[in-house]
Amino acid sequence: MDILIADTDPARATALAARLAGQTGTGRIRIAPADQNLAAIVAVEQPDIVIVDMARPDRDSLEQLRSITAQLAPVTLFIDEDDPAFMEEAIAAGVVSYHVNAATNVDIKPVLRSAIALYRYASRREKRLAAAEAELADRRLIERAKKLLIQRDRMSEPAAHRFLQRRAMERQMRLADVARGLLRDSEAPESDLSERSWPGTEGTGS
């Protein structure tokens, strides 16, 4: 486990690093310099997890958390005082786990492991959701392109689909990209279309 500790209090960061180092199987432990931009450090170092340890969170702390989570790094937050409102804002900013006085726990590793597991699970779900949304958008494009061919060129639905498939094979493009190009060209002025290499619908087999 590659751990990066961020704390504006160097003595507290050193103490936490020492506690982690004393636990077997913790892995690499680094302390981010307090006078440098933490988001930039995370972007370069890409640790497995970032521990942000702070005594009293404020708005500046929240912006800092947002800047770190934007670097696609899991962040776990250790604070000394419970603040439910700040906890909700921190979670909304991308913090995967929030703990009060966790730095004093006998064994911190389970806290860090669970935070990494939660982050990876959430990342996989986000990727699946993004892929599903992209697939749905592609299908909508293809359906719009087929509808255009049906209405404009009086093709049947199967012929419109074959036309798009053939163009995709000829140009070695994705079907959705062919559909996007067809729709774009259909909205362009005639003067622009005459200069493009996009093929017409002649010989479509409709």
Side-chain angles (χ1 to χ4, degrees):
M1 199 181 325
D2 187 346
I3 303 169
L4 181 67
I5 299 174
D7 194 328
T8 54
D9 183 339
R12 190 171 50 195
T14 302
L16 177 57
R19 286 180 58 81
L20 286 165
Q23 299 178 10
T24 57
T26 304
R28 186 182 183 192
I29 302 164
R30 290 170 288 173
I31 298 174
D35 60 346
Q36 295 184 20
N37 184 284
L38 181 56
I41 296 173
V42 172
V44 172
E45 299 295 335
Q46 298 185 343
D48 292 327
I49 190 163
V50 181
I51 298 176
V52 177
D53 193 6
M54 60 181 67
R56 191 182 300 276
D58 53 24
R59 290 292 166 189
D60 289 340
S61 302
L62 196 60
E63 290 307 313
Q64 178 180 248
L65 293 175
R66 283 199 183 93
S67 67
I68 303 170
T69 58
Q71 303 299 326
L72 301 179
V75 176
T76 187
L77 181 61
F78 292 175
I79 65 170
D80 294 342
E81 297 180 8
D82 191 19
D83 183 339
F86 184 81
M87 177 193 69
E88 291 191 12
E89 291 185 276
I91 297 296
V95 171
V96 291
S97 64
Y98 173 99
H99 304 274
V100 179
N101 295 323
T104 61
N105 288 354
V106 174
D107 190 349
I108 304 173
K109 293 195 302 295
V111 172
L112 303 182
R113 289 196 188 109
S114 66
I116 293 173
L118 280 170
Y119 175 79
R120 289 175 177 169
Y121 175 72
S123 296
R124 288 195 296 270
R125 289 192 61 182
E126 287 182 3
K127 288 179 180 176
R128 285 198 296 268
L129 178 60
E133 290 177 343
E135 183 178 353
L136 181 59
D138 285 351
R139 287 182 181 179
R140 287 174 174 162
L141 271 176
I142 294 166
E143 290 304 314
R144 283 179 56 204
K146 286 196 295 185
K147 187 176 181 179
L148 171 68
L149 293 171
I150 291 169
Q151 293 178 343
R152 188 188 68 185
D153 301 317
R154 300 182 182 281
M155 291 186 189
S156 64
E157 193 277 341
H161 192 75
R162 287 197 300 273
F163 171 80
L164 294 173
Q165 284 183 317
R166 189 161 55 245
R167 290 294 180 266
M169 291 178 62
E170 291 169 353
R171 293 173 173 265
Q172 297 185 335
M173 295 170 63
R174 295 190 319 121
L175 197 60
D177 292 333
V178 171
R180 183 181 292 106
L182 180 64
L183 292 167
R184 183 184 61 238
D185 287 355
S186 72
E187 297 171 355
E190 290 295 332
S191 58
D192 290 347
L193 284 175
S194 63
E195 298 178 358
R196 294 187 182 181
S197 58
W198 182 262
T201 57
E202 64 277 7
T204 60
S206 59

